[in-house]
Amino acid sequence: MAKNLTEGPEWRQLLLFALPMMGAQLLQVTYSMVDAIVVGNFISSNALGAVSIPGPVIWVASSIAAGMGSGVNIIAAQYFGAMRRKEICSAAVTSVLFSVALGLFLSAAGILSASAIVRDFLRTPPEMETDAVTYLAIYSIGFFFQILYQIFYGITRALGDSKASLLFLLVAAVLNLVLDLVFVVYLKMDVAGAAIASVAAQIGSAAAALFYLLFRYSFLYSRESGARPAWGQLSLILRVSIPVTLQMAVQSAGFLLLQRMVNSFGPASIEGFAAMGKTEELMHIPIICISTALASFVGQNMGAGQVHRVERGVRAALVNTVILSVILGGLMLVFDRHILGLYNITGEALLRGREHLDVMCLLLPVFTVHHIFNGALQGAGDVRIPVISSFADLALRLIFTALLALTPVSFRSIYLSTPPAWITACLITAARFRQGTWKQKRIFS
């Protein structure tokens, strides 16, 4: 059911809205970890490294999908706050039709370019090439369903409904777990089986989200709503979505280039980076979900013209999430070896994974501040500065990684480049929010 975020205690509203998303995100990361654990334990650690190599490519496609979903969310949330139901319906129909075309393009591009990306661009070690190409080619089929899911999910968030995401990803997690066991453990299909299980999970979550919208929010697509695709709505969706998508894609492209650098340091770095990355995803769940909730909160309240309520909500989110990040980072530092050991990595791979994870734990408060301000700016419709901060992050990480790789630091350059990059990006978004120009960024008059 639609929920109004323009009333009630700010932090309580944010937390209650974010909690179901945290549960959903936990399910998503869990089934991603299940993939890694199954591959690492029932195939080999070499196979684990191979399926992690296309990860940044998958993240680029996922970022495009998530960026489109976030753009739709921002627009629909502001319409909802202003009580403009007809415009919500038009934005929903337009975004779904556009996502079908975009999803088909992403899937086709991923399938056709899998070999060239893995072999030529990423410079994958020969012993991992075949598995990496197979995984990416099959996984790319799911890009179509992923973007549909993100659009559906963005619409439900805009209406103040975050509980639905738990249902969507519960379907995905169950499908992924069962099919991983069937295809990898029982049928011995190796990395192809893991990829097929992931695609099936994406189909399941998209189907669940579609049926939920059709039955719970039938007014969006009913004849009475007068909902029709409109070029004006598409233009508005793209104007907001493209900068958000670009921001996420830039971050993903950065990881694509970093993965290439990681590959140059050999299998130990690849396996350690893969295990660390899965664990880092888990650590970021509450921060990202509160940031996502904040974008919907800010969107509705900007639509309703309640700027002071937005400021109070951002302050509450900032204080509470920074405290949470310190606690969470400390726990990960204590149990890092045990957590990474779940992926069946040992020796040099475990050492490199632990060192990388420990640096990320220490930087978690910086990551937190950056994402809270990003969520606030995006919800207000001020979407360009987060793109600039992402470019700064990417440029600094690549520059420092390349320079440090020439020194005795060697493979450690991958994670020692992170502090200056993250701190700079954080300062850019914090300065923009304090400037206050976001208060005039409402997307419609």
Side-chain angles (χ1 to χ4, degrees):
M1 184 174 291
K3 182 178 181 180
N4 191 340
L5 299 174
T6 62
E7 301 171 349
E10 293 84 7
W11 173 244
R12 183 174 182 274
Q13 287 279 55
L14 272 171
L15 185 60
L16 291 177
F17 188 58
L19 282 174
M21 287 193 286
M22 291 182 200
Q25 192 69 22
L26 181 61
L27 283 172
Q28 187 168 22
V29 172
T30 298
Y31 83 66
S32 178
M33 289 178 70
V34 165
D35 265 344
I37 292 170
V38 169
V39 169
N41 286 274
F42 290 97
I43 305 176
S44 68
S45 60
N46 190 72
L48 172 63
V51 300
S52 76
I53 286 170
V57 182
I58 293 169
W59 198 353
V60 169
S62 299
S63 296
I64 293 172
M68 290 301 302
S70 294
V72 173
N73 169 254
I74 292 165
I75 293 165
Q78 292 204 17
Y79 281 146
F80 184 81
M83 301 299 178
R84 295 170 67 164
R85 175 179 273 200
K86 185 175 181 180
E87 284 85 350
I88 296 174
C89 298
S90 179
V93 171
T94 304
S95 62
V96 170
L97 292 176
F98 179 73
S99 70
V100 169
L102 182 58
L104 288 172
F105 171 78
L106 288 177
S107 286
I111 294 167
L112 296 175
S113 63
S115 180
I117 290 173
V118 170
R119 291 195 171 108
D120 301 328
F121 182 75
L122 291 175
R123 298 177 182 175
T124 303
E127 64 270 26
M128 296 182 176
E129 273 186 8
T130 302
D131 281 345
V133 171
T134 299
Y135 190 82
L136 178 57
I138 296 173
Y139 197 101
S140 295
I141 298 169
F143 293 160
F144 173 76
F145 301 98
Q146 197 169 26
I147 193 167
L148 284 175
Y149 165 75
Q150 289 291 350
I151 295 294
F152 299 149
Y153 180 36
I155 295 169
T156 58
R157 289 202 319 272
L159 300 175
D161 185 348
S162 60
K163 294 178 182 177
S165 58
L166 265 175
L167 171 63
F168 306 155
L169 289 174
L170 180 61
V171 171
V174 171
L175 276 173
N176 190 75
L177 174 59
V178 172
L179 294 179
D180 258 339
L181 295 175
V182 171
F183 293 144
V184 178
V185 181
Y186 181 69
L187 296 178
K188 308 295 183 185
M189 293 176 65
D190 296 340
V191 298
I196 293 170
S198 294
V199 171
Q202 290 164 357
I203 294 172
S205 61
L210 173 60
F211 287 125
Y212 185 88
L213 273 179
L214 290 176
F215 286 101
R216 181 59 67 91
Y217 301 109
S218 57
F219 73 87
L220 290 171
Y221 308 104
S222 66
R223 290 184 178 180
E224 291 78 12
S225 70
R228 290 181 177 85
W231 284 110
Q233 287 293 349
L234 180 58
S235 175
L236 183 58
I237 289 167
L238 293 177
R239 179 162 64 84
V240 176
S241 297
I242 286 175
V244 178
T245 302
L246 185 59
Q247 177 204 347
M248 295 181 177
V250 163
Q251 292 170 337
S252 302
F255 278 98
L256 184 65
L257 295 172
L258 284 173
Q259 181 70 62
R260 182 177 179 175
M261 294 179 179
V262 169
N263 295 352
S264 70
F265 293 116
S269 283
I270 294 172
E271 293 167 18
F273 187 73
M276 182 287 306
K278 296 296 182 184
T279 307
E280 187 184 23
E281 283 183 51
L282 189 66
M283 186 167 62
H284 288 168
I285 286 175
I287 311 305
I288 290 174
C289 288
I290 291 173
S291 173
T292 302
L294 186 63
S296 295
F297 173 89
V298 171
Q300 284 197 17
N301 282 281
M302 287 293 289
Q306 300 194 62
V307 174
H308 293 302
R309 180 174 169 81
V310 169
E311 292 176 318
R312 292 194 300 271
V314 173
R315 281 197 298 269
L318 195 60
V319 171
N320 287 287
T321 51
V322 167
I323 293 171
L324 177 62
S325 70
V326 172
I327 296 170
L328 191 57
L331 289 172
M332 284 289 188
L333 280 170
V334 172
F335 297 106
D336 56 357
R337 183 184 184 89
H338 302 286
I339 295 169
L340 294 176
L342 293 172
Y343 300 97
N344 196 33
I345 58 171
T346 57
E348 188 66 18
L350 179 60
L351 170 66
R352 297 184 185 192
R354 283 185 69 190
E355 287 185 1
H356 197 158
L357 180 60
D358 290 351
V359 171
M360 298 299 104
C361 289
L362 293 172
L363 287 172
L364 191 57
V366 176
F367 176 90
T368 300
V369 173
H370 182 210
H371 274 262
I372 291 300
F373 284 131
N374 259 354
L377 291 172
Q378 288 176 353
D382 191 357
V383 291
R384 294 181 181 176
I385 293 302
V387 178
I388 293 171
S389 73
S390 293
F391 270 113
D393 180 6
L394 170 60
L396 289 173
R397 288 195 73 178
L398 294 177
I399 290 169
F400 277 100
T401 299
L403 293 175
L404 290 172
L406 302 175
T407 72
V409 166
S410 185
F411 65 86
R412 293 182 175 88
S413 62
I414 299 296
Y415 44 89
L416 293 181
S417 62
T418 305
W422 279 14
I423 290 170
T424 301
C426 180
L427 290 174
I428 290 171
T429 51
R432 179 64 167 191
F433 186 82
R434 286 182 60 84
Q435 190 180 22
T437 53
W438 55 270
K439 297 175 184 179
Q440 286 79 47
K441 291 290 183 178
R442 183 169 152 170
I443 62 173
F444 56 84
S445 58

